[in-house]
Amino acid sequence: MDSITQQHLPDPWLSDFFARPIIQVKADSQDYAQIQHLQTQGFQFVEGEIEFCFSLAEYQEKTTACQVATAEDIAELEVLFGQAFPTSRFREPWFSAAENQRFYRTWIARAVRGEFDQLCFVLKTASGQIQGGISLRLVGEQARIGLLAVSPVYQRQGIATILLQAAQNWAKLQRANSLLVSTQIGNLPAINAYLKQGAKMLSTSYWFYRK
């Protein structure tokens, strides 16, 4: 079985979560041969993705008020993250709005519990309201951001920058050499935030689904 054929198999975790076969392929945006092949196999273009890298070689830790989320934060985080990504690749017509919300609610809850992602940092107001959160995991010598969301009430107030600084602090403490994050090509606020913080673009790719 060749590598492209293997990619056409249903994704076990997603298929189990959504209770139906989920067949997806992530193709490098420059791999025109694979993209053409996917089109002949009935795959539909879903979303473009950019991967960014924060180099930690020269990074100096910055003090933030972020703290590690606990089980007591899960309910509030589920509300925030469940509503934060309505236009991600887990959207209609491939996934219902309810499925989208359930997916991200489950992801962030598992991150707080140390499952899949290893932890979640949150930034709170003086009264304890969560302003935003970011989940992280370590893979070898690289750290990766899973999810990042800021409450609509606190957007455009520098919350994302603080969360990114907390993420870089943690990654540096883990002795990672870099911090990776991916986002949709059309998510300009996230792209600008990453570039402003010094991230470099590593690659672009396309997601395809087949029903």
Side-chain angles (χ1 to χ4, degrees), residues 150-185:
V150 176
S151 169
V153 178
Y154 297 103
Q155 289 179 3
R156 301 181 184 277
Q157 297 181 30
I159 304 300
T161 297
I162 297 172
L163 292 169
L164 287 171
Q165 290 172 348
Q168 291 174 87
N169 290 346
W170 178 83
K172 186 78 171 184
L173 187 63
Q174 307 308 308
R175 299 190 178 183
N177 56 33
S178 58
L179 174 66
L180 305 179
V181 62
S182 298
T183 192
Q184 298 165 240
I185 286 177

Side-chain angles (χ1 to χ4, degrees), residues 21-162:
I22 305 297
I23 305 176
Q24 60 177 9
V25 174
K26 184 180 181 181
D28 187 286
S29 63
Q30 303 299 311
D31 192 343
Y32 305 119
Q34 184 182 19
I35 292 171
Q36 285 186 326
H37 173 77
L38 292 172
Q39 291 174 325
T40 65
Q41 297 299 307
F43 281 83
Q44 294 179 309
F45 171 78
V46 179
E47 186 63 74
E49 181 179 288
I50 305 179
E51 184 171 56
F52 291 93
C53 175
F54 294 91
S55 174
L56 300 175
E58 305 296 329
Y59 178 77
Q60 298 296 318
E61 183 178 350
K62 299 176 177 63
T63 301
T64 77
C66 294
Q67 56 191 274
V68 176
T70 68
E72 295 179 353
D73 298 314
I74 288 178
E76 190 174 351
L77 286 169
E78 285 182 328
V79 174
L80 170 58
F81 282 80
Q83 299 174 353
F85 310 103
T87 61
S88 78
R89 66 185 181 88
F90 296 99
R91 65 175 186 271
E92 295 179 341
W94 300 279
F95 301 91
S96 69
E99 287 178 321
N100 172 286
Q101 292 175 14
R102 182 168 68 92
F103 178 74
Y104 290 108
R105 287 168 66 96
T106 300
W107 185 337
I108 198 60
R110 291 183 63 183
V112 173
R113 298 187 182 105
E115 305 166 1
F116 187 56
D117 288 339
Q118 292 173 245
L119 80 168
C120 172
F121 282 108
V122 292
L123 186 64
K124 298 182 178 182
T125 64
S127 62
Q129 183 178 8
I130 292 177
Q131 297 169 291
I134 187 168
S135 68
L136 296 155
R137 63 184 180 273
L138 185 68
V139 182
E141 295 182 345
Q142 292 181 319
R144 176 173 285 279
I145 295 171
L147 297 175
L148 189 163
V150 176
S151 169
V153 178
Y154 297 103
Q155 289 179 3
R156 301 181 184 277
Q157 297 181 30
I159 304 300
T161 297
I162 297 172

